Amino acid sequence: MNVILLGPPGVGKGTQGALLAEGSSWKHMATGDILRANRREGTPLGQEARKHMDAGELVPDELIVAMVKDALASLPPDQGVIFDGFPRTVPQAQALDGVLADLGRKVDRVVVLEADEDVLVKRIAGRLNCPGCGSVFNVHNNTPAVEGICDNCGSDLVHRPDDRPETVRNRLEVYREQTEPLIRFYEGRGGVLVRIRGEGSVEEGQRGIRKLLEQEASSGPPPTGASEGLGTRA
Ligand code: AMP
């Protein structure tokens, strides 16, 4: 089963995607995380991506599509994938259809996470990232056990450079202009798209998403790679 988490910056895609994947065989494929890892390692892709990311702009489609294609090619064919932060433009979505078809896959579910803009701005301002393992915390609704320290690897938590207020406004604008049209793109596909509000707690969001994915699973054969993770969590 291939699931896309779609929604504006700060709505909780990364947190929810990581929780869905935890303890399951789902692959959480977060393009922002892959780009940040490339930046840390100083790869040519990371160097090219840096200027776009720091300005709150999108990295060019062809770079992102090639990166995702590579990442998918290394997965077992039956492993479920949760796409987080991808696709972000209609050309990326069209390219994803082609890449998935070549691998005998398709987009099975698009979960749109929605929240009012003031909630998003507050969330992003409170977001803390781990440069060591990529975990995400938030001073408002997902606090680390020890202030400023990653629960998972003990690194000092930092604010992402593109979470600065002036960059966040641009990212929200870019979302509205370039990514929101994807809702219409997927809406025409026979019930593949579902919507959920992302303003509540992390746990509420996770329960809601799992319920939506289970409904899909129960209306057809069990999704490969999805049942373990979705079935065993409360
Ligand atoms: P995220 O962690 O998903 O908020 O992504 C952080 C930044 O990485 C974005 O603001 C973009 O600059 C870049 N990025 C991540 N995913 C994509 C994508 N699918 N297409 C273009 N740029 C992306």
Side-chain angles (χ1 to χ4, degrees):
M1 190 179 190
N2 303 289
V3 177
I4 294 170
L5 296 182
L6 188 64
V11 79
K13 300 183 300 293
T15 303
Q16 297 297 348
L19 280 173
L20 279 176
E22 202 178 276
S24 81
S25 59
W26 286 90
K27 172 72 181 171
H28 177 209
M29 195 174 289
T31 44
D33 289 349
I34 303 175
L35 290 170
R36 280 183 287 278
N38 273 274
R39 286 178 57 158
R40 282 195 298 276
E41 290 156 18
T43 67
L45 171 62
Q47 285 166 19
E48 173 61 27
R50 179 182 299 273
K51 56 179 184 281
H52 302 285
M53 295 173 79
D54 287 350
E57 304 286 352
L58 295 184
V59 175
D61 288 340
E62 58 276 16
L63 294 180
I64 295 288
V65 170
M67 182 182 95
V68 170
K69 196 173 171 181
D70 271 3
L72 280 172
S74 66
L75 296 182
D78 58 350
Q79 183 169 15
V81 181
I82 301 159
F83 293 99
D84 159 6
F86 177 86
R88 250 177 162 102
T89 64
V90 170
Q92 287 184 19
Q94 288 164 334
L96 177 64
D97 281 340
V99 171
L100 289 178
D102 287 348
L103 295 167
R105 294 172 178 262
K106 64 180 172 53
V107 173
D108 297 295
R109 209 73 168 140
V110 178
V111 179
V112 183
L113 292 141
E114 298 172 305
D116 289 341
E117 196 161 313
D118 51 347
V119 174
L120 301 173
V121 170
K122 185 177 164 204
R123 283 240 187 103
I124 294 174
R127 185 148 72 178
L128 293 167
N129 280 66
C130 176
C133 69
S135 298
V136 185
F137 299 87
N138 199 292
V139 296
H140 301 297
N141 64 351
N142 186 19
T143 48
V146 179
E147 195 182 325
I149 303 293
C150 177
D151 287 357
N152 302 317
C153 76
S155 301
D156 288 340
L157 298 173
V158 297
H159 285 289
R160 271 167 49 177
D162 60 340
D163 278 352
R164 287 190 306 267
E166 60 276 21
T167 313
V168 167
R169 274 190 289 278
N170 194 33
R171 286 165 63 204
L172 288 168
E173 189 72 24
V174 166
Y175 174 78
R176 275 192 296 271
E177 281 176 10
Q178 302 197 49
T179 308
E180 221 166 42
L182 287 178
I183 295 178
R184 296 193 79 177
F185 181 87
Y186 287 116
E187 241 168 9
R189 293 197 184 180
V192 93
L193 183 134
V194 289
R195 295 167 184 262
I196 183 165
R197 298 299 299 178
E199 274 120 350
S201 68
V202 171
E203 293 74 22
E204 280 164 355
Q206 184 67 191
R207 271 197 301 277
I209 294 172
R210 283 173 181 270
K211 209 165 154 191
L212 289 171
L213 295 178
E214 275 163 8
Q215 278 166 9
E216 170 68 3
S218 63
S219 68
T224 313
S227 53
E228 185 192 341
L230 296 173
T232 52
R233 287 185 65 101

